[in-house]
Amino acid sequence: LKAPTQAEPAAAALAAVAAAGGYSHVVCASTSWAKGVLPRAAALAGVQPVTDVLRFEDDGESFVRPIYAGNALETVRYKASGDGGPAEGAPRYVSVRTTAFEPVSADGGAAAVDDVVAPAELDAVAAEELSSFVSAEVSESERPELGAAPIVVSGGRGLKNGDNFKLMEDLADALGGGAIGASRAAVDAGFCANDMQVGQTGKVVAPDLYVAVGISGAIQHVAGMKDSKVIVAINKDEDAPIFSVADYGLKADLFEAVPELIAKVKAARA
């Protein structure tokens, strides 16, 4: 199962295969596509999904996940089947926030990959399908994918217009080539595309270096980048909330500071 499969038939297939295979857990990454499929599959299975998991507890029945835009963590646990929990043998449906886990090598490992035969009832689901995939327009970029980039440079409403995002591109290039992100305010103002948004309602990132330029640091934005290894903030407002989560902060006019920073980074890397 993968995009662009429609969410409804994909969920029906996932739920049917999971039930027929006797699996204990159905786990996926918290991507936009999975957010449309996993809850549907869990509902078909009569199971409450647990989303955005940051940590698994040892017994596999308890999970740690963020609430209140990441300001608190809660531990949730599936109830026993006789106590209002999932039916005996029903799989647990879980999505994980990938930035909370260290990457592992693509080589090695002992897990098997099995081909499964689709249950017969899926034919009826396919016959009742009310929508079908037509096409997808995917924007291509030479830059690394935002969610996986080791360096992310994000701009906010302080850039004033979309043309000034060229400064973010120049800074990312000077740092060795990074992804470009944005705050929701910048996206809502039409400065850049929606897929560049970092935050609670955008993408969650955890790069080695996150540079926030002209971003005030609203709680919704911080929820999407606070796990970055090193956070650098540039803002002319010394009371901007972004400074409370930044490892390094510079109170300055971004239109003066960023070009100077680009020149110094280039000189240092020369």
Side-chain angles (χ1 to χ4, degrees), residues 24 186 201 228 249:
S24 63
T201 54
S228 304

Side-chain angles (χ1 to χ4, degrees), residues 138-186:
V138 181
S139 59
E140 297 184 359
S141 173
E142 295 180 354
R143 296 191 177 277
E145 198 275 323
L146 182 58
I151 298 174
V152 175
V153 178
S154 289
R157 187 164 46 192
L159 286 169
K160 297 184 179 180
N161 59 60
D163 293 338
N164 289 328
F165 260 81
K166 179 67 167 58
L167 280 173
M168 304 298 95
E169 296 175 3
D170 293 343
L171 179 55
D173 291 338
L175 290 169
I180 307 299
S183 66
R184 177 173 179 174

Side-chain angles (χ1 to χ4, degrees), residues 3 6 8 41 53 65 73 76-77 99 105 181 185 192 201 217 228 250 252:
Q6 297 293 86
E8 290 81 0
V53 169
R65 62 183 301 276
L73 300 178
V76 296
R77 180 180 179 86
T99 55
S105 173
C192 55
T201 54
S228 304
L250 176 62

Side-chain angles (χ1 to χ4, degrees), residues 6 29 40 42 52 81 103 114 134 140 152 161 186 229 243 264 266:
Q6 297 293 86
R40 287 182 167 91
D52 281 335
S81 58
D114 299 326
V134 177
E140 297 184 359
V152 175
N161 59 60
K229 306 299 185 296
F243 287 127
K264 291 188 175 182
K266 287 182 176 179

